[in-house]
């Protein structure tokens, strides 16, 4: 029997697998946080599907999203990345990855981990919503506004409130599976064991 998924999922198995195994599953790994922070920023002005298809190229180009390594990138490395056809060659977005890596390291110093820092914005546990259609889902919320403002204050780039809300959805800070989706109401909870398996 065909599973009923959220309306934004297309017919590509890559997209369905992302929805089924990853989207909305709480993240608690700083490498994963850095990956999602960068990829959501890259998405600005594009579709998530476009970014998802390039994710493996990004992982290879950005040292598996190791913030320590990315924070050390110099101008020559940035130029090298801008010649990489596997990623989206936008100078501001490439530079922001380096900027955000350095900002993330400072957050780790202050809070012990980026994970400990970011979950404070939803009180430490996921917000569960009950949307019946995609048109009901907000582009931003008070929580994403607060996160965006604080990240900007700390020097992060490409962290507007809409990007932050997409980040919160993707990383399980907010569970926005549609009510008709088979993963609705924490149905993805049984897949939480996959949260640390995704590289």
């Amino acid at each position: 029997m065909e599973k009923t998924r959220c309306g934004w999922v297309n017919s590509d198995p890559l997209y369905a697998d992302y929805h089924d195994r990853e989207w909305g599953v709480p993240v608690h790994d700083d490498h994963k946080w850095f990956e999602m922070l960068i990829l959501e920023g890259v998405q600005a002005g594009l579709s998530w599907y476009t970014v998802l298809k390039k994710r493996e190229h990004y992982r290879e180009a950005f040292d598996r999203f190791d913030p320590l390594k990315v924070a050390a990138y110099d101008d020559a490395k940035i130029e090298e990345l801008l010649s990489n056809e596997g990623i989206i060659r936008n100078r501001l977005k490439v530079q922001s990855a380096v900027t955000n890596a350095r900002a993330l390291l400072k957050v780790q110093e202050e809070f012990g981990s980026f994970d400990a820092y970011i979950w404070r914005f939803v009180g430490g546990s996921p917000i569960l919503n009950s949307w019946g259609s995609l048109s009901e889902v907000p582009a931003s919320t008070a929580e994403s506004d607060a996160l965006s403002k604080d990240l900007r204050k700390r020097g992060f780039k490409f962290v507007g409130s809409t990007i932050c809300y997409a980040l919160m959805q993707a990383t399980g800070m907010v569970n926005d599976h549609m009510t008709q989706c088979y993963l609705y109401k924490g149905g993805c909870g049984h897949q939480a064991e996959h949260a640390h398996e995704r590289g």
Side-chain angles (χ1 to χ4, degrees), residues 128-131 175-190:
L128 176 62
N129 290 317
S130 301
W131 310 119
N175 189 328
D176 269 356
H177 284 286
M178 299 288 105
T179 52
Q180 65 270 30
C181 176
Y182 84 101
L183 290 174
Y184 173 64
K185 257 200 178 347
C188 61
H190 68 280

Side-chain angles (χ1 to χ4, degrees), residues 156-174:
F156 288 85
K157 304 294 184 184
F158 286 96
V159 287
S161 189
T162 300
I163 289 173
C164 282
Y165 193 65
L167 175 71
M168 292 168 73
Q169 291 174 308
T171 58
M173 292 175 73
V174 177

Side-chain angles (χ1 to χ4, degrees), residues 58-181:
Y58 268 92
R59 286 174 170 169
E60 186 177 339
F62 285 89
D63 286 296
R64 312 303 292 181
F65 291 104
D66 182 333
L68 271 173
K69 291 181 179 178
V70 177
Y73 286 1
D74 57 13
D75 290 344
K77 178 64 175 179
I78 288 173
E79 293 305 320
E80 177 191 319
L81 289 166
L82 287 170
S83 68
N84 187 334
E85 295 181 359
I87 68 169
I88 291 151
R89 294 179 290 176
N90 176 301
R91 183 177 294 275
L92 289 177
K93 289 178 180 179
V94 171
Q95 289 175 329
S96 75
V98 182
T99 301
N100 288 352
R102 293 169 182 168
L104 184 141
L105 294 179
K106 290 180 181 177
V107 168
Q108 287 178 329
E109 286 178 18
E110 183 177 347
F111 292 89
S113 69
F114 186 80
D115 187 67
Y117 158 78
I118 198 166
W119 276 98
R120 299 176 312 128
F121 290 89
V122 291
S125 59
I127 294 171
L128 176 62
N129 290 317
S130 301
W131 310 119
S133 67
L134 292 176
S135 62
E136 295 176 39
V137 183
S140 61
T141 61
E143 290 83 4
S144 68
D145 289 349
L147 175 58
S148 172
K149 183 178 179 181
D150 200 72
L151 286 171
R152 284 173 167 172
K153 186 179 73 175
R154 295 174 182 278
F156 288 85
K157 304 294 184 184
F158 286 96
V159 287
S161 189
T162 300
I163 289 173
C164 282
Y165 193 65
L167 175 71
M168 292 168 73
Q169 291 174 308
T171 58
M173 292 175 73
V174 177
N175 189 328
D176 269 356
H177 284 286
M178 299 288 105
T179 52
Q180 65 270 30
C181 176

